[in-house]
């Protein structure tokens, strides 16, 4: 797990000061070593920060080159099946000087070219400069676990693990994609390849790019499709899940440094502990975090139950409002992009604690998106059944007649949703109330958004087009895997773990598991209102029944309470500051109203307040 940066400029060779500046902005991603390689005649500079995991000897230093210096690589991530690939390459007469997966990846490209991507099991973002062909080949893993950003102005191509590295060399730092403010207000993050910085894009998961003097091309090399025409029976899918999940965990045990597990006490992380605990020679180290604001924000009793059950060496951390507030600016700075994921702050402090004991940690991310783990799926499936029975016209009639009598925001929300088709209503797990968003906008800003095309609209449309023939649950799972998972959860996981120089591995997101999950009939994912039915069936003999049946929480953060107490002045001062008002996005009277309603306790507005707060803090640092 590392940090990578690069500059390609065929007309004006990059300087050492520029590549070092980019590289050292992310020193926390790789505190163990660093390096640069400048190929002046090619107009190429590569930089790397190293967190030593596999073969920590100096011979594993990056940028790394092959035996004749014709290929140069910078690589972030892990190729978990590197030993198997290495054997194939040794049969093809390749000689290795190190025990690193980096060298294996370099020679895999040399031997198979871009087809090497189809052989990799892992999380990765890398770039290879091919001196003979004068071509840059860069790729990102299938799911998007590791980040890759790039900028191309027609002359200079920049890439990096984090946006701030590219921004550091930009002359125009105020180039905001204003249309994407609307995407952010809808989702709480910005899905797709575009970022709020007009000149910076993400390389999408499962894509690679080729760049040379004559070509710039981005191509897809992987995706998954839902194929559920054949039902092989519940027992078959349980057995397959166990086999694949065990193999994914086995591969992620490959490390030359100590490892542990993030344990929330939920089903996903507890499943990882259950399958892992018996495979390690020493007691497995587990780590949990919580807030001392009552049981609604504290899962440690469940984590302790699992820890006791498997006799792990368990460590807990209790966060305070003071610690949360102190890290908000740091959270925004590390995230680079506005993402309303308050649990990221908990994850940062948990990662700091974990780093004191281990360098690699496993977690349960991804199981919800693979196997239907959110109650939101149950609600939307119920809406689909309702619409199928009563039809759209009746739904609109009932909503119109009953809306003025509905006081509950949640009930009101689902009444509105029932009037819309899945494609028109579904915006994922983290979606925000569209009407409330429009009420906040200044008329001038709303008019601007109406005139200007949102560059992410086509991306959202393509997601639904790709699942046009799939059932409703599959369409929601695909949407969340392509948006919420990669652009919220995995960004959070990467940034906060890397901020503490900790490597995070996610066995549920082994691409073979993702492909398998897409073949599982939806009735085995959500069944009679039970979420993640298949995973629960697998784990029912391996975990305490309380863990199997408990309600999902997932790093809950007491924002509602903190915004009415310790953070009340901070949020008011930030959102009503002169600079925030002058941005012209939102009506000042509406911001005051939202603040007043929340502070008085009449309405819980903590989600939108956090959303607005993160956006303003991002502007302060990056706009």
């Amino acid at each position: 797990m590392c940090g990578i940066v690069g500059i390609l400029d065929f007309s004006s060779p990059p300087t050492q000061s520029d590549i070092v500046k980019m590289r050292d902005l992310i020193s926390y991603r790789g505190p163990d070593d660093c390096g640069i390689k400048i190929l002046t005649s090619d107009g190429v500079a590569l930089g790397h920060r190293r967190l030593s995991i596999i073969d920590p000897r100096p011979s594993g230093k990056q940028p790394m080159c092959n035996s004749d210096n014709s290929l140069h690589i910078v690589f972030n991530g892990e190729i978990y099946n590197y030993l198997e690939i290495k054997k194939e390459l040794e049969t093809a007469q390749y000689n290795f000087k190190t025990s690193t997966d980096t060298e294996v990846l370099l020679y895999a490209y040399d031997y198979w070219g871009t087809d090497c991507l189809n052989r990799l099991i892992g999380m990765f973002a890398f770039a290879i400069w091919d001196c003979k062909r004068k071509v840059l080949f860069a790729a990102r893993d299938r799911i998007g676990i590791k980040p890759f950003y790039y900028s191309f102005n027609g002359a200079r191509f920049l890439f990096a693990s984090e946006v701030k590295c590219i921004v550091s060399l930009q002359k125009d730092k105020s180039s905001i994609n204003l249309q994407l403010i609307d995407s952010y207000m809808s989702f709480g993050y910005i899905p797709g390849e575009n970022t709020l910085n007009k000149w910076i894009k993400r390389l999408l998961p499962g894509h690679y790019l080729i760049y040379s003097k004559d070509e710039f091309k981005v191509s897809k090399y992987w995706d998954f499709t839902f194929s559920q025409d054949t039902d092989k029976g519940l027992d078959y899918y349980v057995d397959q899940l166990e086999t694949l999940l065990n193999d994914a965990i086995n591969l992620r045990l490959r490390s030359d440094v100590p490892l542990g597990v993030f344990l929330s006490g939920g089903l996903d992380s507890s499943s990882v502990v259950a399958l892992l605990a018996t495979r390690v020679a020493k007691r497995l180290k587990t780590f949990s975090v919580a807030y001392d604001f009552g049981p609604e924000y504290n899962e440690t009793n469940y984590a302790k139950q699992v820890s006791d059950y498997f006799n792990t060496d368990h460590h807990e951390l209790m966060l305070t409002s003071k610690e949360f507030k102190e890290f908000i600016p740091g959270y925004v700075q590390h995230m680079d992009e506005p993402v309303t994921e308050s649990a990221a702050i908990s994850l940062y402090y948990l990662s700091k604690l974990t780093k004191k004991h281990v360098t690699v940690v496993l977690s349960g991310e991804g199981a919800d998106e693979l196997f239907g783990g959110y109650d939101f799926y149950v609600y939307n499936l119920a809406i689909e059944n309702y619409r199928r029975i009563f039809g759209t016209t009746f739904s609109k009639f009932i909503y119109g007649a009953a809306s003025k009598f509905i006081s509950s925001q949640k009930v009101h929300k689902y009444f509105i949703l029932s009037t819309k088709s899945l494609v028109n209503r579904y915006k994922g797990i983290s979606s925000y109330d569209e009407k409330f968003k429009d009420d906040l906008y200044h008329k001038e800003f709303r008019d601007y958004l109406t005139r200007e095309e949102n560059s992410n609209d086509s991306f959202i449309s393509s997601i639904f087009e790709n699942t046009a023939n799939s059932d409703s649950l599959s369409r929601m799972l695909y949407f969340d895997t392509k948006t919420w998972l990669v652009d919220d959860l995995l960004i959070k996981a990467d940034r906060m773990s890397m901020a503490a120089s900790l490597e995070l591995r996610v066995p549920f997101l082994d691409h073979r598991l993702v492909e398998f999950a897409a073949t599982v009939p939806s009735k085995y994912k959500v069944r009679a209102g039970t979420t993640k039915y298949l995973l629960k069936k697998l784990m029912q003999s391996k975990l305490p029944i309380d863990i199997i049946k408990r309600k999902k929480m997932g790093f809950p953060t007491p924002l509602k309470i903190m915004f009415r107490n310790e953070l009340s002045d901070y949020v008011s001062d930030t959102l009503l500051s002169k600079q925030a008002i002058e941005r012209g996005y939102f009506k000042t009277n509406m911001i005051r109203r939202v603040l007043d309603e929340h502070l008085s306790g009449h309405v819980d507005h903590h989600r939108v307040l956090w959303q607005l707060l993160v956006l303003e803090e991002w502007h302060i640092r990056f706009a």
Side-chain angles (χ1 to χ4, degrees):
M1 194 81 75
C2 305
I4 63 174
V5 296
I7 306 171
L8 284 80
D9 194 325
F10 303 131
S11 59
S12 179
T15 64
Q16 178 173 321
S17 61
D18 278 352
I19 196 67
V20 169
K21 180 180 183 180
M22 292 178 72
R23 181 198 67 186
D24 290 349
L25 279 172
I26 50 173
S27 58
Y28 44 82
R29 294 188 74 95
D32 297 331
D33 197 3
C34 62
I36 61 170
K37 181 68 178 183
I38 300 177
L39 303 163
T40 304
S41 59
D42 288 347
V44 175
L46 304 174
H48 187 262
R49 297 291 320 197
R50 186 184 186 194
L51 179 63
S52 299
I53 304 294
I54 295 174
D55 190 2
R57 298 174 300 172
S59 57
K61 186 182 183 72
Q62 295 186 47
M64 184 180 289
C65 62
N66 62 346
S67 56
D68 66 358
N69 288 313
S70 63
L71 298 174
H72 299 265
I73 186 173
V74 283
F75 164 49
N76 169 30
E78 302 288 348
I79 307 301
Y80 298 121
N81 63 331
Y82 75 103
L83 293 177
E84 290 76 9
I85 297 174
K86 186 175 183 178
K87 287 182 180 178
E88 284 191 73
L89 293 170
E90 286 174 334
T91 302
Q93 305 305 310
Y94 282 90
N95 297 313
F96 291 86
K97 297 179 181 178
T98 76
S99 299
T100 65
D101 53 346
T102 306
E103 190 178 17
V104 171
L105 178 55
L106 188 62
Y107 284 119
Y109 168 75
D110 186 54
Y111 190 55
W112 288 299
T114 59
D115 286 343
C116 69
L117 294 169
N118 298 316
R119 298 173 176 268
L120 307 179
I121 300 174
M123 54 180 184
F124 52 82
F126 65 85
I128 296 174
W129 176 249
D130 188 328
C131 295
K132 293 179 180 178
R133 297 173 55 223
K134 306 298 181 187
V135 166
L136 180 81
F137 169 58
R140 189 179 181 195
D141 66 71
R142 296 170 179 85
I143 314 301
I145 302 168
K146 303 315 300 173
F148 189 99
Y149 296 91
Y150 67 91
S151 174
F152 181 50
N153 64 6
R156 172 173 268 208
F157 181 88
L158 306 173
F159 69 84
S161 296
E162 297 188 13
V163 170
K164 61 177 65 69
C165 305
I166 299 175
V167 170
S168 71
L169 298 190
Q170 281 185 326
K171 294 180 180 178
D172 180 8
K173 292 181 172 58
S174 60
S175 51
I176 298 177
N177 254 330
L178 286 177
Q179 308 97 316
L180 296 187
I181 297 289
D182 190 55
S183 291
Y184 170 77
M185 292 301 295
S186 292
F187 295 97
Y189 58 91
I190 298 170
E193 68 172 356
N194 296 301
T195 72
L196 266 185
N197 188 302
K198 193 176 296 183
W199 312 117
I200 299 177
K201 292 182 179 292
R202 309 180 188 107
L203 184 61
L204 290 175
H207 284 66
Y208 70 86
L209 66 81
I210 298 291
Y211 175 61
S212 68
K213 281 185 177 180
D214 303 317
E215 181 182 24
F216 178 76
K217 181 176 69 172
V218 176
S219 303
K220 180 192 290 187
Y221 70 88
W222 181 87
D223 201 354
F224 67 99
T225 55
F226 290 89
S227 177
Q228 303 173 357
D229 297 335
T230 303
D231 182 354
K232 298 182 179 181
L234 179 61
D235 290 343
Y236 168 83
Y237 295 112
V238 170
D239 290 343
Q240 283 295 103
L241 174 57
E242 183 169 23
T243 298
L244 287 169
L245 187 52
N246 275 321
D247 189 58
I249 289 174
N250 283 338
L251 285 178
R252 282 155 185 80
L253 292 180
R254 290 178 173 176
S255 170
D256 293 328
V257 295
L259 58 82
V261 180
F262 283 157
L263 175 60
S264 68
L267 175 65
D268 308 336
S269 61
S270 298
S271 297
V272 174
V273 170
L275 296 174
L276 181 57
T278 58
R279 305 182 198 195
V280 291
K282 298 180 181 179
R283 288 176 69 198
L284 182 64
K285 294 183 184 296
T286 53
F287 306 89
S288 298
V289 64
Y291 291 88
D292 192 14
F293 281 84
E296 185 180 354
Y297 305 103
N298 190 338
E299 299 181 90
T300 54
N301 59 321
Y302 294 106
K304 186 68 166 57
Q305 183 180 357
V306 174
S307 172
D308 291 344
Y309 194 83
F310 293 102
N311 190 33
T312 72
D313 178 12
H314 192 57
H315 304 264
E316 291 180 357
L317 176 68
M318 282 291 172
L319 279 187
T320 66
S321 300
K322 181 175 182 292
E323 289 171 314
F324 182 91
K325 178 183 177 182
E326 285 177 347
F327 188 62
I328 292 174
Y331 157 70
V332 175
Q333 184 67 29
H334 277 291
M335 290 295 285
D336 275 335
E337 305 180 67
V339 178
T340 55
E341 186 57 66
S342 60
I345 293 180
S346 312
L347 183 57
Y348 168 74
Y349 283 106
L350 179 62
S351 297
K352 285 185 66 179
L353 167 67
T354 304
K355 177 62 177 179
K356 294 177 182 178
H357 301 272
V358 300
T359 307
V360 174
V361 66
L362 277 65
S363 75
E365 265 93 356
D368 292 312
E369 291 73 25
L370 265 60
F371 300 109
Y374 300 113
D375 288 340
F376 198 51
Y377 298 141
V378 178
Y379 302 151
N380 273 280
L381 290 174
I383 289 173
E384 285 299 285
N385 288 331
Y386 172 84
R387 285 172 54 80
R388 186 164 53 250
I389 295 170
F390 295 106
T392 303
T393 303
F394 185 72
S395 297
K396 289 181 178 179
F397 171 75
I398 291 295
Y399 170 67
S403 60
K404 58 185 175 183
F405 302 108
I406 300 171
S407 58
S408 168
Q409 285 184 315
K410 189 171 184 178
V411 174
H412 196 276
K413 172 183 177 181
Y414 283 105
F415 257 111
I416 294 175
L417 291 177
S418 71
T419 67
K420 301 178 180 179
S421 68
L422 182 70
V423 171
N424 289 326
R425 76 169 181 266
Y426 194 75
K427 288 184 170 60
I429 295 302
S430 186
S431 57
Y432 285 72
D433 189 329
E434 292 290 306
K435 182 180 183 303
F436 194 74
K437 176 189 70 174
D438 289 339
D439 288 343
L440 282 169
Y441 288 158
H442 266 302
K443 181 182 183 303
E444 294 79 5
F445 185 56
R446 189 189 302 114
D447 290 345
Y448 168 81
L449 295 174
T450 302
R451 290 193 308 270
E452 299 294 324
E453 181 181 355
N454 190 315
S455 55
N456 276 8
D457 286 347
S458 60
F459 171 73
I460 298 299
S461 297
S462 70
I463 294 176
F464 284 113
E465 289 168 4
N466 289 344
T467 56
N469 297 319
S470 299
D471 64 274
S472 296
L473 179 60
S474 297
R475 302 190 82 180
M476 289 187 283
L477 295 177
Y478 186 82
F479 186 96
D480 288 332
T481 301
K482 295 295 183 179
T483 57
W484 156 259
L485 178 66
V486 62
D487 293 324
D488 185 303
L489 297 184
L490 291 178
I491 283 182
K492 170 198 73 176
D494 173 80
R495 297 299 197 282
M496 296 300 102
S497 60
M498 282 281 85
S501 304
L502 179 73
E503 174 168 300
L504 178 63
R505 298 180 176 181
V506 282
F508 278 107
L509 292 179
D510 186 302
H511 77 273
R512 298 167 301 167
L513 257 174
V514 176
E515 292 170 345
F516 160 74
T519 69
V520 176
S522 289
K523 66 181 181 181
Y524 298 137
K525 296 173 183 175
V526 175
R527 189 167 188 170
T530 299
T531 57
K532 276 186 296 200
Y533 181 81
L534 181 64
L535 182 58
K536 290 174 179 177
K537 193 72 175 176
L538 168 63
M539 300 309 299
Q540 66 183 5
S541 63
K542 307 179 193 307
L543 285 170
I545 192 65
D546 290 350
I547 303 302
I548 298 290
K549 291 188 173 182
R550 62 163 295 205
K551 185 175 176 61
K552 182 178 180 62
M553 289 176 67
F555 283 134
T557 303
L559 283 174
K560 178 177 71 173
I561 300 171
M562 291 192 292
F563 282 166
R564 286 174 180 158
N565 295 282
E566 296 91 337
L567 272 65
S568 60
D569 289 342
Y570 162 64
V571 68
S572 296
D573 292 344
T574 303
L575 297 185
L576 294 175
S577 67
K578 181 181 177 182
Q579 59 185 357
I581 292 170
E582 289 178 348
R583 299 195 198 285
Y585 303 149
F586 310 112
K587 300 173 187 172
T588 305
N589 64 325
M590 274 299 297
I591 298 294
R592 291 186 188 280
R593 175 183 155 189
V594 170
L595 284 164
D596 290 343
E597 289 180 348
H598 186 83
L599 291 174
S600 68
H602 291 152
V603 186
D604 177 9
H605 286 309
H606 81 268
R607 288 189 78 231
V608 72
L609 287 174
W610 177 244
Q611 184 184 30
L612 294 169
L613 186 64
V614 169
L615 182 62
E616 179 56 26
E617 289 281 7
W618 179 86
H619 275 82
I620 292 170
R621 280 154 190 80
F622 292 101

